[in-house]
Amino acid sequence: MKIVIATHNKDKFKELYRGLSSLNVNLLSLNDFPQIGEIVEDGKTLLENALIKAREVYRITGLPAISDDTGLEVDALNGKPGVFTARFAGENCSYDDNVNKMLDVMKNIPLEKRQAQFKTVMCYISEKTELTSEGVVEGIISNEKKGLQGFGYDPIFYVPEEGKTFAEMSIERKNIISHRGKAIQALRSSLSSHLITLSKENA
């Protein structure tokens, strides 16, 4: 069985591939479908954006699709950037652009007020099935970049229980405790049950 992970982002695909590989399905990315360009994510919530991507990829490819949308919600910024997390520093910005802007807007915020949460919403869409999951992790926006692993805001998202930023963790550890890791685990559980049911029906 083939399932398309609705992203062109190689870093994100790597995390999702590792997290979902136990399903024993053939996981493809949008890079396997050159005809699919950037999909406009104009939803007002993470769930809306995830559904937009998965439904569009399913419509174009005819294959079941998995998508996610992730938001960084910073308390001192009233929950922003939220759905604009990936383009916080503007359209076509880089990881560093976003991180540097966040450090800049937070530079006068004291440590005790730098709380934030990362939230990932995932969905699976096929002809007759729609599954969703969510993962959340609490953390703090650090004062400086630390670590060389990961991507995005990982160098400045500090998890107190771990004593590290995401960028200081191995991908294996991050996949266990992160927002995306938790969402992957929840989706993997419901999707595994769904695939078992499908297998029995087609036996």
Side-chain angles (χ1 to χ4, degrees):
M1 181 179 179
K2 294 180 179 179
I3 298 177
V4 185
I5 294 179
T7 184
H8 290 99
N9 186 314
K10 292 180 180 179
D11 295 315
K12 183 185 289 188
F13 179 76
K14 187 186 298 183
E15 284 193 0
L16 292 169
Y17 186 90
R18 287 198 182 200
L20 297 170
S21 59
S22 64
L23 290 173
N24 293 318
V25 295
N26 187 2
L27 295 170
L28 308 172
S29 79
L30 292 188
N31 295 315
D32 294 301
F33 300 89
Q35 74 273 28
I36 302 178
E38 289 299 324
I39 298 170
V40 178
E41 302 169 38
D42 53 4
K44 294 181 179 179
T45 66
L46 299 176
L47 177 58
E48 286 179 10
N49 281 338
L51 289 171
I52 286 170
K53 284 186 286 189
R55 287 169 177 165
E56 182 66 2
V57 170
Y58 171 71
R59 183 188 68 80
I60 294 172
T61 66
L63 296 171
I66 290 174
S67 70
D68 82 306
D69 198 28
T70 293
L72 175 62
E73 301 172 350
V74 182
D75 291 0
L77 303 181
N78 298 313
K80 295 179 180 178
V83 293
F84 299 104
T85 295
R87 49 193 188 278
F88 184 49
E91 296 296 330
N92 302 313
C93 59
S94 67
Y95 293 152
D96 278 342
D97 293 336
N98 281 329
V99 168
N100 291 335
K101 180 176 179 180
M102 182 61 69
L103 288 174
D104 185 55
V105 299
M106 294 286 288
K107 63 184 177 184
N108 295 319
I109 306 296
L111 183 63
E112 65 270 16
K113 294 185 178 180
R114 298 176 74 93
Q115 293 89 351
Q117 66 173 6
F118 250 130
K119 182 185 294 182
T120 290
V121 175
M122 295 185 67
C123 66
Y124 166 87
I125 299 291
S126 64
E127 182 181 8
K128 298 178 181 179
T129 305
E130 187 172 290
L131 305 172
T132 62
S133 67
E134 180 177 296
V136 179
V137 63
E138 304 287 339
I140 294 170
I141 302 300
S142 62
N143 291 303
E144 59 182 359
K145 303 175 190 177
K146 291 183 179 180
L148 299 174
Q149 305 298 317
F151 61 98
Y153 295 85
D154 286 0
I156 61 170
F157 192 82
Y158 178 82
V159 183
E161 291 79 9
E162 299 290 315
K164 297 178 180 179
T165 67
F166 276 156
E168 294 178 291
M169 300 178 197
S170 67
I171 189 171
E172 290 79 14
R173 183 58 184 164
K174 182 188 171 188
N175 264 354
I176 292 172
I177 65 132
S178 75
H179 49 298
R180 184 173 288 113
K182 292 176 180 177
I184 289 171
Q185 291 169 41
L187 185 68
R188 184 176 61 212
S189 177
S190 57
L191 185 52
S192 178
S193 298
H194 170 65
L195 294 177
I196 290 172
T197 300
L198 273 183
S199 179
K200 290 179 179 178
E201 290 176 353
N202 294 327

